Amino acid sequence: MLSGLEAAFVHPSVDTEQGIAHGVTAADLADTLARYPDAAAAYVVSPSYFGAVADIRALADVAHAAGVPLIVDEAWGAHFGFHPDLPGGALSQGADLVTSSTHKLAGSLTQSAMLHLGHGPFAELLEPLVERAHRLVQSTSASALLLASLDLARMTLASGRDAVGASVEAADKIRGMIRALGRFRVVSDGFDRFPDIAAADPLRIAIDTRAGGIPGHEARRRLSREHRVMVEVATDSAVVAVVGAGSFPDADRFVEALHSLPSPLGGGGAGDEPLRLSLPAPGPTRLTAREAFMGPTRLVPTAEAVGLVSADTLAAYPPGIPNVLPGETVTAETVCFLQRTAAAPGGHVRGAADPGVTRLRVVG
């Protein structure tokens, strides 16, 4: 929307049972770059909210062969590379530009993050562009507290290999206990079914709660209210617990709280289980994101928006991945998905004009 660029998407594999998207394969990226020879760069998100890590080395090789840099949104991977049991960081795998939300798992203050410039074939080209863009958007009153917290987080990670290792051990213990008890499933145990997943972040513990007879939203609510146990996010089917790099959760307490949850779905029987929410296919793109966002818009009842062009970004939250972008056609399937998401316990549609998604902002 800011640049006016036209995005061409490389679609990831989707776990339809869990309703989550993963990464992209190098082959799919190569095919897309071949179809768009004027592409300026390739941009990928890795790891995912559920801890799936893409093959950054292969993606970088493909991007470089096509003559473009690889930019990686490594928001959830600030701790990567600081222990042998963790995946390697995107910079070490050949990425040219990497964003890192240091506050999420590395312990810096909220709203602090890092932008890393690699040493690859595009370093000399990218460095002045990054400097110029940074001057455009930076604050003239930068927070010394945030900057100091970034440096402290960097030092803690660099000197805290033993602490990070203990965090990995705690997360592995939790997964092992869940597997042994058998009621719930560990989502990452099925990652080998997807060709676009090269590794998994061991500090993210994604748990299929529906396998144990309770929806993720209800599991999260009860864990918080009844046991004072916080998980990072919940979906219709799962919860994701996160272990911060260098922290030591009480594995026994967490697993005990998880297995004390009731089974309101009658043990997960098919006759009692409500219909799962399936991710909708994206609608056709008719305008660039900038054209749709900057152009004249109007609010219309949701039923009337079907077939029109969205002016907003609409994302079912969690996990917050856009289901509709400005410039895309609104479909009946997407409307149904978003309204059902908004009606679900803990569900929310980010970017919607109202909580119930009764109106949508369209171009025109």
Side-chain angles (χ1 to χ4, degrees):
M1 287 181 279
L2 293 177
S3 67
L5 291 173
E6 181 179 353
F9 291 97
V10 188
H11 289 284
S13 66
V14 174
D15 183 338
T16 54
E17 182 178 348
Q18 290 294 329
I20 56 177
H22 296 306
V24 296
T25 65
D28 286 342
L29 177 60
D31 289 344
T32 304
L33 287 171
R35 292 199 304 272
Y36 296 92
D38 295 330
Y43 184 103
V44 65
V45 177
S46 178
S48 74
Y49 220 143
F50 282 73
V53 182
D55 188 345
I56 300 299
R57 175 69 66 185
L59 294 172
D61 289 344
V62 164
H64 295 165
V68 299
L70 178 69
I71 303 169
V72 179
D73 180 344
E74 199 174 44
W76 287 106
H79 56 299
F80 282 10
F82 286 95
H83 190 275
D85 291 336
L86 295 175
L91 281 180
S92 69
Q93 304 301 308
D96 299 289
L97 201 61
V98 177
T99 59
S100 171
S101 294
T102 318
H103 67 96
K104 289 182 176 176
L105 273 157
S108 64
L109 293 177
T110 297
Q111 297 187 26
S112 60
M114 296 186 185
L115 177 63
H116 306 278
L117 178 65
H119 296 284
F122 294 92
E124 292 186 6
L125 172 65
L126 287 174
E127 186 169 7
L129 297 177
V130 170
E131 289 283 358
R132 190 180 182 201
H134 182 251
R135 286 196 299 271
L136 179 66
V137 299
Q138 72 177 344
S139 169
T140 56
S141 304
S143 168
L145 290 175
L146 296 182
L147 292 173
S149 78
L150 286 172
D151 197 34
L152 180 60
R154 177 208 56 77
M155 182 191 71
T156 301
L157 283 174
S159 61
R161 174 168 169 163
D162 291 343
V164 175
S167 299
V168 174
E169 289 179 7
D172 285 341
K173 180 180 179 181
I174 291 173
R175 276 187 291 269
M177 294 172 70
I178 291 172
R179 294 184 187 110
L181 291 170
R183 177 182 171 187
F184 300 98
R185 290 200 298 262
V186 177
V187 174
S188 57
D189 287 347
F191 278 180
D192 57 355
R193 297 185 291 119
F194 300 94
D196 47 11
I197 300 179
D201 178 6
L203 297 188
R204 301 188 75 78
I205 308 168
I207 303 163
D208 181 349
T209 60
R210 278 199 176 274
I214 183 169
H217 294 298
E218 179 68 5
R220 183 190 192 193
R221 186 184 70 83
R222 288 179 176 270
L223 285 171
S224 174
R225 293 187 179 183
E226 299 173 10
H227 303 278
R228 300 182 64 82
V229 170
M230 300 299 296
V231 295
E232 171 64 28
V233 73
T235 69
D236 185 54
S237 301
V239 296
V240 181
V242 175
V243 179
S247 65
F248 316 104
D250 186 334
D252 294 328
R253 179 171 177 265
F254 175 78
V255 173
E256 181 180 354
L258 180 69
H259 285 79
S260 71
L261 297 175
S263 301
L265 299 182
D272 300 316
E273 185 174 337
L275 183 66
R276 295 177 186 268
L277 290 175
S278 298
L279 293 176
T285 299
R286 288 158 56 183
L287 296 173
T288 67
R290 182 179 179 86
E291 289 169 338
F293 186 83
M294 298 293 187
T297 65
R298 56 194 174 97
L299 280 172
V300 300
T302 300
E304 297 179 17
V306 174
L308 302 180
V309 177
S310 176
D312 285 334
T313 299
L314 304 174
Y317 191 88
I321 299 171
N323 305 105
V324 180
L325 287 173
E328 291 183 351
T329 305
V330 178
T331 67
E333 179 188 17
T334 299
V335 165
C336 178
F337 172 81
L338 293 175
Q339 289 185 328
R340 290 189 62 191
T341 296
H348 170 66
V349 178
R350 178 174 289 177
D354 59 82
V357 197
T358 63
R359 298 177 299 162
L360 294 180
R361 191 180 310 278
V362 298
V363 176

